[in-house]
Structure formats: C-alpha cells, structure tokens
C-alpha cells in the first residue's frame, strides 16, 4: 500500500507498482522506459531529485526525502521517499528502488494549520487591545502591536523577559504573580486591574482577562492576557467633581469589553467551524493531531 518505483542506471523507469499507478494516474505501460526526473518531476525540483538518485546509484542511499510528483491530470502529489541502491548478483549497482509514502494530505493539513496560525497571529497583532502571553515559567512569549503602542516597549525587547519581575512594580508583584500563577493552574481571572509601567516611567492601569493556554494534549503551557488600558478612566473616577464623566467612562469600558468579546468570537468561531469540518473527514493520525491542535488553540482564546 505504498508507491514503489525503480530506475535503471540511466535513470529510466523499470519498476512501477499498482500504488504508483493509482496515485499518479499513469499506468506502468505509460512510464516504463521513460526518464523519471525529466518526464515526471517539475523543473524546480529536478536538480535535487536527480542528486538523490545519482547518489543512490553511487551507493549513497537516502531516507525521508520529500519531493513532488505530478499526476496525469496535473495534480501535485507530495511523496516521502526512501531511495535504495539496487545491485545485481555480483554487487554491481544497476539502479535504484524507491519506496514512497503519499504525504499530500498531511502537507495540506500542515499548510492549513500554518494558515490558521498566521490568521490567529494577525488577529492578535492587530487587535485594538493589548494582548500578551507568558510561558509556563512566566516569560513573555506574546506581545501584540497595541501592547507595544501603550507601553513603548517593542516585541524584541520584552520577548523572553519575566513579565512580573521586569514590568511590574514591587508593591503589585505578588498580586499580579498570583493571578498569572492561578491561570497557569487553570484558574482563570476576569477584570483584574493592575499597573504596568511604560518605557518613559508612566503608570498605566490595565484591566486584564487572564486565560490559560493549552497544548494539543490539554496541558497548560502558558497564559494569554487580553487587556484594556483604563488609565484615563481611573483618573476620571478619582475626581469627584467630574463624577458624571467618570460614570460615562465606566459605561464606555463595558461597551468596549462587549465589542472586544464580539470581535474575538466572530473570527474564532469561523476558524473552529472550519477545523471541525476538517475533523469530520477521514484523516491520518498525524493530520487528526494537527487539526485538534488548531481547535484547542482557538478554544483557549475564545473561552
């Protein structure tokens, strides 16, 4: 149940099993005697594929080499190949036998996974709210554009730094660390207020939702925080003379959170829906794992 083909010392096909015929649409009668590289490999890959076969003809075999084969109807089939030297009874190299694996579906899932990951990353980066993440050790591994804007610290500067030790003042470190540690234990927090200091030493008041981040197995690997800069709102609320303005700001905060919730749910629901459609199809174990990872990552942001 694997494509197996062979070439002679001149690179001409002399072996083409039923699985090769099935996945390419070319019968053995159509391919035997033809140059495998020149006739069935696209120009951009001919050099690398020829090198693998030439090496095998010199006794240097190759394992797990990926290359594309094109079918009779011009579809691309991605093949994972083991190229083994073929010798006659006297030990003279007479060709190469290739045992392949059709990994087209796996590659498509990988491409879809990458696309979804990029889409999620774009959503995080462009969201109109500061979003940051930490790993299980409390080190920053996510810092979106809004976080850069309000703090003045670039993504490059904060990545790998301890969020609590570097960016939280002494008096609030314990309470912030407790919230983050709880999220790392699965106890999530909503509407937690804490101060964050900017590059120019200004104090920002941030309203935070701290959500556990899990891997495909469900293990907690970090925390994702979606915040709101409420510095101005807090300033207004401390001034009794402008109580009405403070009340309006509080209503604006609630509306902002509702809008953010809607903004996050709409694209994530689409992503989760598409992922579920993929899961409802027949997948390999590896493809199933990748798609479940997409669902888990989406759910960790949504809920």
């Amino acid at each position: 149940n694997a494509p197996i083909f062979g070439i002679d010392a001149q690179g001409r096909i002399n072996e083409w099993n039923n699985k090769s015929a099935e996945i390419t649409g070319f019968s053995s009668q159509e391919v035997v005697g033809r140059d495998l590289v020149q006739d069935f490999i696209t120009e951009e890959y001919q050099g690398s594929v020829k090198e693998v076969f030439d090496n095998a003809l010199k006794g240097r075999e190759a394992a797990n080499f990926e290359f594309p084969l094109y079918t009779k109807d011009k579809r691309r089939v991605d093949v994972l190949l083991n190229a083994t030297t073929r010798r006659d009874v006297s030990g003279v190299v007479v060709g190469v036998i290739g045992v392949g694996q059709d990994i087209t579906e796996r590659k498509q899932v990988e491409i879809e996974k990458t696309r979804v990951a990029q889409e999620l990353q774009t959503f995080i980066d462009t969201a109109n709210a500061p979003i940051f993440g930490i790993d299980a050790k409390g080190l920053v591994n996510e810092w979106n554009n809004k976080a850069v804007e309000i703090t003045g610290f670039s993504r490059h500067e904060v990545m790998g730094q301890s969020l609590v030790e570097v960016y939280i003042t002494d008096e609030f470190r314990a309470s912030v660390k407790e919230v983050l540690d709880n999220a790392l234990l699965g106890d999530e927090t909503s509407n937690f207020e804490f101060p964050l200091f900017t590059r120019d030493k200004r104090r920002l008041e941030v309203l935070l939702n701290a959500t556990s981040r899990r891997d495909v197995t469900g293990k907690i690997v970090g925390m994702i925080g979606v915040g709101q800069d409420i510095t101005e709102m807090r300033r207004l609320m401390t001034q009794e003379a402008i109580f009405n303005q403070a009340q309006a700001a509080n209503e604006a905060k609630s509306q902002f959170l509702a809008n953010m919730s809607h903004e996050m749910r709409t694209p994530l629901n689409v992503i989760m829906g598409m992922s579920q459609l993929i899961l409802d199809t027949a997948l390999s174990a590896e493809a199933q794992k990748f798609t479940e990872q997409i669902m888990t990552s989406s759910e960790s942001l949504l809920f």
Side-chain angles (χ1 to χ4, degrees):
N1 194 35
I4 297 175
F5 55 85
I7 60 172
D8 60 21
Q10 284 74 45
R12 294 188 296 264
I13 298 171
N14 58 10
E15 190 74 58
W16 194 260
N17 78 339
N18 292 339
K19 191 66 176 180
S20 296
E22 177 188 327
I23 67 173
T24 66
F26 290 107
S27 68
S28 60
Q29 290 84 358
E30 292 176 287
V31 301
V32 169
R34 295 174 64 180
D35 188 298
L36 176 64
V37 173
Q38 292 299 320
D39 294 347
F40 299 99
I41 306 296
T42 57
E43 188 173 346
E44 65 177 309
Y45 286 95
Q46 284 179 2
S48 58
V49 174
K50 187 175 188 304
E51 182 180 2
V52 168
F53 289 144
D54 286 348
N55 285 339
L57 288 170
K58 296 174 184 177
R60 297 194 295 270
E61 301 176 342
N64 298 327
F65 173 71
E66 291 187 25
F67 73 99
L69 266 179
Y70 279 83
T71 67
K72 179 179 284 191
D73 57 3
K74 307 303 181 184
R75 288 181 301 105
R76 171 175 169 149
V77 176
D78 290 294
V79 176
L80 187 67
L81 177 72
N82 288 347
T84 305
T85 305
R86 203 173 200 177
R87 302 174 187 271
D88 64 15
V89 67
S90 63
V92 175
V93 175
V94 294
V96 177
I97 191 76
V99 179
Q101 177 187 355
D102 181 0
I103 59 170
T104 307
E105 183 178 295
R106 190 188 82 184
K107 296 286 285 187
Q108 289 172 342
V109 170
E110 289 174 353
I111 291 170
E112 178 63 14
K113 177 187 173 185
T114 300
R115 186 194 65 78
V116 171
Q118 290 173 341
E119 192 170 280
L120 284 171
Q121 190 62 53
T122 299
F123 169 72
I124 290 172
D125 286 342
T126 60
N128 193 33
I131 297 177
F132 59 87
I134 60 170
D135 62 21
K137 296 179 181 179
L139 305 181
V140 178
N141 58 10
E142 194 74 66
W143 194 260
N144 79 337
N145 294 340
K146 193 66 175 180
V148 173
E149 177 188 327
I150 69 172
T151 67
F153 291 108
S154 70
R155 186 178 289 107
H156 176 72
E157 290 176 290
V158 301
M159 285 294 187
Q161 299 288 330
S162 171
L163 178 67
V164 173
E165 295 299 323
V166 178
Y167 301 102
I168 307 297
T169 57
D170 289 343
E171 62 179 313
F172 287 96
R173 278 178 187 163
S175 59
V176 173
K177 188 175 188 302
E178 181 180 5
V179 168
L180 301 185
D181 286 347
N182 286 342
L184 291 173
L185 294 173
D187 184 9
E188 300 174 347
T189 300
S190 297
N191 298 330
F192 172 72
E193 294 185 24
F194 73 100
L196 198 62
F197 281 82
T198 68
R199 175 189 284 279
D200 57 4
K201 309 303 180 184
R202 289 181 299 107
R203 171 174 168 151
L204 298 177
E205 299 292 339
V206 176
L207 187 67
L208 178 73
N209 288 350
T211 305
S212 306
R213 204 172 202 176
R214 302 173 185 269
D215 64 14
V216 67
T217 67
K219 178 183 176 182
I220 295 174
V221 295
M223 185 280 306
I224 191 77
V226 180
Q228 179 189 0
D229 178 4
I230 59 170
T231 307
E232 180 65 13
M233 184 191 73
R234 278 296 175 212
R235 186 185 71 81
L236 293 174
M237 291 180 69
T238 60
Q239 300 179 20
E240 294 184 6
I242 52 173
F243 173 78
N244 290 334
Q245 289 177 288
Q247 188 175 31
N250 192 49
E251 292 172 357
K253 178 192 75 172
S254 299
Q255 185 60 46
F256 177 88
L257 291 176
N259 289 342
M260 274 303 302
S261 176
H262 176 74
E263 183 180 349
M264 292 182 69
R265 286 178 179 276
T266 300
L268 288 175
N269 279 328
V270 173
I271 292 168
M272 291 171 65
M274 292 302 295
S275 298
Q276 187 60 57
L277 289 176
I278 295 173
L279 286 171
D280 289 340
T281 63
L283 300 174
S284 65
E286 191 171 19
Q288 180 86 13
K289 176 182 176 182
F290 287 147
T291 309
E292 288 174 352
Q293 187 173 6
I294 293 172
M295 286 288 288
T296 303
S297 299
S298 299
E299 288 171 353
S300 72
L301 281 175
L302 187 61
F303 301 109

